Amino acid sequence: MRPTVAPFPTTRLRRTRRTAALRALTSETTLSVGDLIWPIFVRAGEGVEEPVPSMPGVMRRSVDLSVAAVKEAAALGIPAVCIFPYTDVSLKTELCEEAWNPDNLSNRLIRAIKAEVPEIAVMTDIALDPYNSNGHDGIVRDGVIVNDETVEALVKMALAQAEAGADILGPSDMMDGRIGAIRTALEENGHSDVTIMSYSAKYASAFYGPFRDAVGASGALTGDKKTYQMDPANTDEAVRLIERDLMEGADMVMVKPGMPYLDICRRVKTEFGVPTYAYQVSGEYAMLMAAVQNGWLDHDKVMMESLMAFKRAGCDGILTYFAPAAAKILNAR
Ligand SMILES: NCc1[nH]cc(CCC(=O)O)c1CC(=O)O
């Protein structure tokens, strides 16, 4: 349906833009604190907080300080945090065993948050890269990222996270068949209420650079991730991946990166009408912050506009490093 536009001057579209009140009445999209998921980086130690150089304002925190930061996020009304571990090189192996260690950093933080800030939802990342000596999301054999063996490892990782109390599991590895395998394992092991937000349409993107610094995977990575992450040229393939993951038991789906892929967000929301999320990734954050630090862009304005763009494109929520800063602004309104 196309709205009727009578010829000028019968129609003057500026009439409804004249005052703040009229603009509020005609505003089509809203952004609220409830739309935000805050990705956080956890590291070993106690009382440690260190900045991530390529992500101004973003910290890696030890478990105790992470819990304190999550408490503040909950007080701001942020509904969920997503945990990413910075793993010591000594714990990285070719078989990635640390990934399903019930006491690894990530699982310890899940337990600590669930004990001290039970009201906030804890999301995890399921992929082997933080624990892999070669930086890949899957197990590598003779230079090949092997699918089915990786899925078995991912299932163990997922169960350990569910056991620790995670509310939302986020498989970000892009292996085939992992959503179905994880869903079956959850059902069989008494975790039928755990939700899965699949990183379904995840592109092989250059925008993940700063994140790989943040989790200490940049040095380790050999080659690229193009045999499992998507070609930035594709959109029909994104639709197939989303449909496949929904059929296998995903409750929510994600498009990643965000801003360069808003066309995918819109298409997914329109075609499936399911809970759809975008990840405003590290490189998007770094890009905006670099311009802000140069005095070229206004921090608050560009942050809020970038987040609204996701809502306009049909997303139900956004994973964003800006979550606390955006929540403060939204709460002050
Ligand atoms: N598989 C791990 C993972 N989970 C989230 C991101 C990127 C997040 C960001 O850039 O902010 C990555 C990196 C990658 O796939 O290389």
Side-chain angles (χ1 to χ4, degrees), residues 41 55 84 125-130 137 172-173 199 202 207-212 221 225 229 256 279-283 321:
F41 299 108
M55 300 177 73
F84 293 98
D125 191 77
I126 300 179
L128 301 178
D129 53 333
D137 292 11
S172 73
D173 54 284
Y199 287 64
K202 177 171 177 180
F207 285 97
Y208 308 147
F211 172 95
R212 291 178 191 166
L221 185 63
K225 300 192 175 184
Q229 299 181 349
K256 178 183 174 197
Y279 198 141
Q280 183 180 47
V281 300
S282 57
Y321 301 99

Tab-separated table of all heavy atoms in Angstrom, residues 41 55 84 125-130 137 172-173 199 202 207-212 221 225 229 256 279-283 321, ligand 1:
chain	number	residue	atom	x	y	z
A	41	PHE	N	33.826	-8.222	27.613
A	41	PHE	CA	35.027	-9.061	27.531
A	41	PHE	C	35.532	-9.373	28.925
A	41	PHE	O	35.758	-8.458	29.725
A	41	PHE	CB	36.118	-8.352	26.727
A	41	PHE	CG	35.707	-8.065	25.298
A	41	PHE	CD1	35.427	-6.766	24.877
A	41	PHE	CD2	35.573	-9.100	24.386
A	41	PHE	CE1	35.033	-6.510	23.567
A	41	PHE	CE2	35.180	-8.851	23.076
A	41	PHE	CZ	34.908	-7.559	22.662
A	55	MET	N	39.295	-0.351	20.632
A	55	MET	CA	37.880	-0.087	20.919
A	55	MET	C	37.771	0.913	22.074
A	55	MET	O	37.515	0.524	23.217
A	55	MET	CB	37.141	-1.389	21.272
A	55	MET	CG	37.180	-2.427	20.162
A	55	MET	SD	36.375	-3.970	20.623
A	55	MET	CE	34.656	-3.470	20.568
A	84	PHE	N	32.227	-12.622	26.275
A	84	PHE	CA	33.329	-13.081	25.417
A	84	PHE	C	34.602	-13.181	26.259
A	84	PHE	O	34.999	-12.191	26.882
A	84	PHE	CB	33.551	-12.103	24.262
A	84	PHE	CG	32.401	-12.068	23.293
A	84	PHE	CD1	31.441	-11.078	23.377
A	84	PHE	CD2	32.270	-13.040	22.306
A	84	PHE	CE1	30.365	-11.045	22.496
A	84	PHE	CE2	31.202	-13.018	21.420
A	84	PHE	CZ	30.251	-12.020	21.515
A	125	ASP	N	28.638	-16.943	23.666
A	125	ASP	CA	29.073	-17.143	22.287
A	125	ASP	C	29.501	-18.611	22.180
A	125	ASP	O	30.203	-19.111	23.049
A	125	ASP	CB	30.265	-16.233	21.991
A	125	ASP	CG	30.596	-16.182	20.516
A	125	ASP	OD1	29.881	-15.501	19.769
A	125	ASP	OD2	31.586	-16.835	20.104
A	126	ILE	N	29.023	-19.281	21.146
A	126	ILE	CA	29.471	-20.655	20.917
A	126	ILE	C	30.274	-20.690	19.626
A	126	ILE	O	29.736	-20.517	18.537
A	126	ILE	CB	28.286	-21.644	20.841
A	126	ILE	CG1	27.493	-21.605	22.152
A	126	ILE	CG2	28.790	-23.058	20.562
A	126	ILE	CD1	26.291	-22.522	22.176
A	127	ALA	N	31.582	-20.848	19.784
A	127	ALA	CA	32.530	-20.963	18.678
A	127	ALA	C	33.854	-21.281	19.343
A	127	ALA	O	34.061	-20.949	20.510
A	127	ALA	CB	32.643	-19.661	17.886
A	128	LEU	N	34.739	-21.925	18.616
A	128	LEU	CA	35.962	-22.391	19.265
A	128	LEU	C	37.108	-21.383	19.230
A	128	LEU	O	38.151	-21.609	19.842
A	128	LEU	CB	36.405	-23.722	18.628
A	128	LEU	CG	35.367	-24.858	18.721
A	128	LEU	CD1	35.889	-26.118	18.024
A	128	LEU	CD2	35.026	-25.174	20.176
A	129	ASP	N	36.935	-20.268	18.540
A	129	ASP	CA	38.085	-19.372	18.320
A	129	ASP	C	38.819	-18.875	19.568
A	129	ASP	O	40.032	-18.749	19.536
A	129	ASP	CB	37.734	-18.216	17.369
A	129	ASP	CG	36.495	-17.439	17.778
A	129	ASP	OD1	35.612	-18.016	18.437
A	129	ASP	OD2	36.400	-16.248	17.450
A	130	PRO	N	38.138	-18.611	20.694
A	130	PRO	CA	38.936	-18.131	21.842
A	130	PRO	C	39.856	-19.217	22.400
A	130	PRO	O	40.783	-18.915	23.142
A	130	PRO	CB	37.883	-17.753	22.888
A	130	PRO	CG	36.579	-17.725	22.178
A	130	PRO	CD	36.709	-18.661	21.016
A	137	ASP	N	37.158	-20.854	14.188
A	137	ASP	CA	35.955	-21.164	14.964
A	137	ASP	C	35.699	-22.668	15.048
A	137	ASP	O	34.837	-23.115	15.798
A	137	ASP	CB	34.722	-20.495	14.322
A	137	ASP	CG	34.777	-18.980	14.433
A	137	ASP	OD1	35.842	-18.448	14.813
A	137	ASP	OD2	33.763	-18.324	14.138
A	172	SER	N	28.019	-18.861	17.024
A	172	SER	CA	28.531	-17.860	16.082
A	172	SER	C	29.529	-18.481	15.119
A	172	SER	O	30.262	-17.783	14.434
A	172	SER	CB	29.219	-16.726	16.854
A	172	SER	OG	30.459	-17.164	17.360
A	173	ASP	N	29.547	-19.805	15.072
A	173	ASP	CA	30.608	-20.540	14.383
A	173	ASP	C	30.347	-20.796	12.909
A	173	ASP	O	31.258	-21.076	12.154
A	173	ASP	CB	30.745	-21.894	15.068
A	173	ASP	CG	29.372	-22.569	15.090
A	173	ASP	OD1	28.519	-22.167	15.910
A	173	ASP	OD2	29.115	-23.426	14.225
A	199	TYR	N	23.628	-16.963	15.324
A	199	TYR	CA	24.298	-16.042	14.409
A	199	TYR	C	24.106	-16.705	13.033
A	199	TYR	O	24.997	-17.365	12.521
A	199	TYR	CB	25.787	-15.969	14.687
A	199	TYR	CG	26.267	-15.236	15.929
A	199	TYR	CD1	25.957	-15.675	17.210
A	199	TYR	CD2	27.112	-14.129	15.801
A	199	TYR	CE1	26.463	-15.023	18.327
A	199	TYR	CE2	27.613	-13.476	16.920
A	199	TYR	CZ	27.284	-13.929	18.187
A	199	TYR	OH	27.802	-13.288	19.284
A	202	LYS	N	25.974	-14.717	9.249
A	202	LYS	CA	27.217	-14.088	9.700
A	202	LYS	C	28.194	-14.059	8.540
A	202	LYS	O	28.537	-15.105	7.979
A	202	LYS	CB	27.800	-14.864	10.877
A	202	LYS	CG	29.135	-14.309	11.345
A	202	LYS	CD	29.579	-14.947	12.643
A	202	LYS	CE	30.943	-14.424	13.054
A	202	LYS	NZ	31.408	-15.031	14.303
A	207	PHE	N	35.165	-6.240	9.423
A	207	PHE	CA	34.753	-5.408	10.558
A	207	PHE	C	34.943	-6.082	11.918
A	207	PHE	O	34.597	-5.506	12.939
A	207	PHE	CB	33.285	-4.980	10.390
A	207	PHE	CG	33.088	-3.892	9.366
A	207	PHE	CD1	32.709	-4.198	8.071
A	207	PHE	CD2	33.282	-2.555	9.699
A	207	PHE	CE1	32.524	-3.196	7.121
A	207	PHE	CE2	33.103	-1.546	8.764
A	207	PHE	CZ	32.724	-1.869	7.473
A	208	TYR	N	35.425	-7.336	11.941
A	208	TYR	CA	35.636	-8.011	13.228
A	208	TYR	C	37.047	-7.781	13.786
A	208	TYR	O	37.381	-8.312	14.846
A	208	TYR	CB	35.428	-9.534	13.114
A	208	TYR	CG	34.130	-9.969	12.491
A	208	TYR	CD1	34.066	-11.137	11.719
A	208	TYR	CD2	32.960	-9.242	12.680
A	208	TYR	CE1	32.872	-11.551	11.144
A	208	TYR	CE2	31.766	-9.657	12.098
A	208	TYR	CZ	31.732	-10.806	11.328
A	208	TYR	OH	30.556	-11.225	10.755
A	209	GLY	N	37.873	-7.025	13.063
A	209	GLY	CA	39.280	-6.855	13.468
A	209	GLY	C	39.484	-6.498	14.932
A	209	GLY	O	40.199	-7.208	15.658
A	210	PRO	N	38.866	-5.406	15.416
A	210	PRO	CA	39.108	-5.007	16.806
A	210	PRO	C	38.664	-6.066	17.820
A	210	PRO	O	39.290	-6.243	18.859
A	210	PRO	CB	38.277	-3.719	16.958
A	210	PRO	CG	38.120	-3.200	15.562
A	210	PRO	CD	38.045	-4.421	14.691
A	211	PHE	N	37.590	-6.797	17.505
A	211	PHE	CA	37.129	-7.871	18.401
A	211	PHE	C	38.208	-8.936	18.551
A	211	PHE	O	38.469	-9.431	19.647
A	211	PHE	CB	35.853	-8.502	17.837
A	211	PHE	CG	35.393	-9.747	18.558
A	211	PHE	CD1	34.439	-9.667	19.565
A	211	PHE	CD2	35.903	-10.999	18.228
A	211	PHE	CE1	34.006	-10.820	20.224
A	211	PHE	CE2	35.473	-12.151	18.883
A	211	PHE	CZ	34.527	-12.055	19.871
A	212	ARG	N	38.846	-9.276	17.453
A	212	ARG	CA	39.873	-10.320	17.521
A	212	ARG	C	41.049	-9.841	18.381
A	212	ARG	O	41.688	-10.645	19.052
A	212	ARG	CB	40.294	-10.742	16.113
A	212	ARG	CG	39.159	-11.495	15.413
A	212	ARG	CD	39.476	-11.917	13.978
A	212	ARG	NE	38.262	-12.385	13.303
A	212	ARG	CZ	38.165	-12.566	11.990
A	212	ARG	NH1	39.212	-12.329	11.211
A	212	ARG	NH2	37.029	-12.985	11.458
A	221	LEU	N	45.149	-16.302	14.396
A	221	LEU	CA	44.406	-16.688	13.183
A	221	LEU	C	45.297	-16.846	11.959
A	221	LEU	O	46.003	-15.934	11.556
A	221	LEU	CB	43.294	-15.679	12.888
A	221	LEU	CG	42.385	-16.049	11.712
A	221	LEU	CD1	41.631	-17.347	11.995
A	221	LEU	CD2	41.413	-14.928	11.405
A	225	LYS	N	38.199	-16.798	7.250
A	225	LYS	CA	37.070	-17.629	7.681
A	225	LYS	C	36.053	-17.846	6.562
A	225	LYS	O	34.892	-18.137	6.809
A	225	LYS	CB	36.420	-16.983	8.918
A	225	LYS	CG	37.381	-16.836	10.106
A	225	LYS	CD	36.681	-16.483	11.411
A	225	LYS	CE	37.653	-16.466	12.581
A	225	LYS	NZ	37.002	-16.221	13.885
A	229	GLN	N	32.104	-18.608	7.110
A	229	GLN	CA	31.309	-17.378	7.163
A	229	GLN	C	30.908	-16.973	5.746
A	229	GLN	O	31.536	-17.365	4.765
A	229	GLN	CB	32.108	-16.271	7.858
A	229	GLN	CG	32.452	-16.652	9.299
A	229	GLN	CD	33.231	-15.592	10.051
A	229	GLN	OE1	33.713	-14.628	9.461
A	229	GLN	NE2	33.375	-15.767	11.353
A	256	LYS	N	24.902	-10.284	11.083
A	256	LYS	CA	26.158	-9.735	11.578
A	256	LYS	C	27.172	-9.631	10.453
A	256	LYS	O	27.310	-10.596	9.711
A	256	LYS	CB	26.683	-10.670	12.672
A	256	LYS	CG	28.000	-10.290	13.257
A	256	LYS	CD	28.427	-11.323	14.240
A	256	LYS	CE	29.831	-10.981	14.689
A	256	LYS	NZ	30.486	-12.068	15.306
A	279	TYR	N	24.099	-7.423	15.105
A	279	TYR	CA	25.284	-7.175	15.916
A	279	TYR	C	26.011	-5.986	15.302
A	279	TYR	O	26.528	-6.084	14.189
A	279	TYR	CB	26.176	-8.418	15.920
A	279	TYR	CG	27.209	-8.480	17.031
A	279	TYR	CD1	27.500	-9.687	17.663
A	279	TYR	CD2	27.908	-7.358	17.456
A	279	TYR	CE1	28.445	-9.773	18.682
A	279	TYR	CE2	28.846	-7.428	18.469
A	279	TYR	CZ	29.113	-8.642	19.080
A	279	TYR	OH	30.053	-8.724	20.078
A	280	GLN	N	25.994	-4.868	16.036
A	280	GLN	CA	26.814	-3.718	15.629
A	280	GLN	C	28.226	-4.066	16.100
A	280	GLN	O	28.555	-3.924	17.279
A	280	GLN	CB	26.300	-2.450	16.311
A	280	GLN	CG	27.041	-1.186	15.885
A	280	GLN	CD	26.500	0.055	16.590
A	280	GLN	OE1	26.309	0.063	17.811
A	280	GLN	NE2	26.248	1.107	15.845
A	281	VAL	N	29.041	-4.563	15.189
A	281	VAL	CA	30.282	-5.226	15.595
A	281	VAL	C	31.404	-4.253	15.941
A	281	VAL	O	31.288	-3.032	15.757
A	281	VAL	CB	30.770	-6.245	14.526
A	281	VAL	CG1	29.722	-7.329	14.302
A	281	VAL	CG2	31.145	-5.534	13.231
A	282	SER	N	32.494	-4.848	16.410
A	282	SER	CA	33.633	-4.068	16.901
A	282	SER	C	34.128	-3.036	15.893
A	282	SER	O	34.446	-1.911	16.263
A	282	SER	CB	34.763	-5.025	17.277
A	282	SER	OG	35.133	-5.827	16.164
A	283	GLY	N	34.203	-3.408	14.627
A	283	GLY	CA	34.718	-2.482	13.620
A	283	GLY	C	33.792	-1.306	13.379
A	283	GLY	O	34.239	-0.184	13.093
A	321	TYR	N	28.290	-2.358	21.681
A	321	TYR	CA	29.225	-1.917	22.719
A	321	TYR	C	28.788	-0.572	23.294
A	321	TYR	O	29.287	-0.136	24.318
A	321	TYR	CB	30.637	-1.843	22.136
A	321	TYR	CG	31.076	-3.194	21.598
A	321	TYR	CD1	30.994	-3.494	20.230
A	321	TYR	CD2	31.493	-4.197	22.471
A	321	TYR	CE1	31.343	-4.747	19.755
A	321	TYR	CE2	31.837	-5.455	22.003
A	321	TYR	CZ	31.757	-5.717	20.642
A	321	TYR	OH	32.096	-6.978	20.175
B	1	LIG	N1	33.251	-16.446	16.312
B	1	LIG	C1	33.555	-15.530	17.254
B	1	LIG	C2	32.966	-14.186	17.138
B	1	LIG	N2	31.870	-13.844	17.833
B	1	LIG	C3	31.652	-12.493	17.625
B	1	LIG	C4	32.643	-12.003	16.756
B	1	LIG	C5	32.833	-10.591	16.287
B	1	LIG	C6	32.218	-9.529	17.140
B	1	LIG	C7	32.697	-8.157	16.848
B	1	LIG	O1	33.464	-7.914	15.901
B	1	LIG	O2	32.300	-7.261	17.605
B	1	LIG	C8	33.471	-13.073	16.427
B	1	LIG	C9	34.672	-12.920	15.574
B	1	LIG	C10	34.855	-13.712	14.359
B	1	LIG	O3	33.957	-14.387	13.859
B	1	LIG	O4	35.987	-13.685	13.871
